[in-house]
Amino acid sequence: MKAETWFAPPGEQIPNNPSFAVLVYRDLPAVSAGADSCRGLFAEHGWVGSWVDGVFDFHHFHSTSHEVLGVVSGEATLELGGPQGERFDVSAGDVLVLPAGTGHRRASTRGAFTVVGAYPRGQEDYDLLRGDDPAEVTAARERIAALGAPATDPVGGDGVAGWR
């Protein structure tokens, strides 16, 4: 299983990850089968602390954890990488693996857009930052740079292996 990759550009408010690319898997049957199936897939590969909801409509990032988002229903346009980033259209069955620091927000939705989110084991206690405080962003950059690649890919693909 091959992932599309995209490197988010660095920014002042949204740092993005200096080393790891965003991974995009398309049309995974275990994800489009629904939230329970998606949660099971992620847990099977060591990505835990899962939740079911949408994506915030404001730019934000996590400095203490990587995050996976599996689209279980609907469609959306997500902005990745903060204001300096790009838009990605996603639909049921798609999975985004966001390295720590990657800005993300929901720009628009179509249908009953729902995602399952999860984190590598040990990173479930994630932070949520908006980049409003320059000192906070500086500290976040240090945490992001120190956070290594997770042990496994959340869907069993080869994408996370490229982070090592």
Side-chain angles (χ1 to χ4, degrees):
M1 167 180 349
K2 188 159 174 55
E4 300 168 27
T5 59
W6 176 72
F7 279 94
E12 290 189 29
Q13 284 188 293
I14 305 292
N16 294 312
N17 196 291
S19 304
F20 304 147
V22 170
L23 307 173
V24 183
Y25 291 98
R26 301 284 184 180
D27 301 318
L28 300 181
V31 176
S32 58
D36 289 341
S37 176
C38 184
R39 288 176 117 161
L41 176 67
F42 293 165
E44 175 185 335
H45 295 286
W47 289 61
V48 296
S50 66
W51 49 267
V52 180
D53 204 345
V55 175
F56 291 124
D57 64 355
F58 55 86
H59 292 290
H60 66 284
F61 66 96
H62 312 291
S63 70
T64 57
S65 63
H66 306 297
E67 182 176 40
V68 62
L69 300 174
V71 182
V72 296
S73 67
E75 299 177 347
T77 299
L78 302 179
E79 291 179 359
L80 302 183
Q84 71 275 12
E86 289 187 19
R87 289 175 168 236
F88 287 77
D89 290 325
V90 295
S91 59
D94 293 347
V95 172
L96 300 168
V97 186
L98 306 176
T102 302
H104 51 291
R105 82 172 198 101
R106 170 182 40 86
S108 66
T109 63
R110 295 163 298 288
F113 177 68
T114 306
V115 299
V116 170
Y119 310 89
R121 190 173 318 283
Q123 295 180 16
E124 305 96 298
D125 188 21
Y126 59 91
D127 59 2
L128 191 143
L129 304 173
R130 295 176 75 159
D132 298 328
D133 177 1
E136 181 181 71
V137 173
T138 297
R141 286 182 199 283
E142 292 174 12
R143 290 190 298 273
I144 293 162
L147 192 61
T152 59
D153 188 272
V155 298
D158 57 3
V160 168
W163 290 3
R164 292 187 188 92

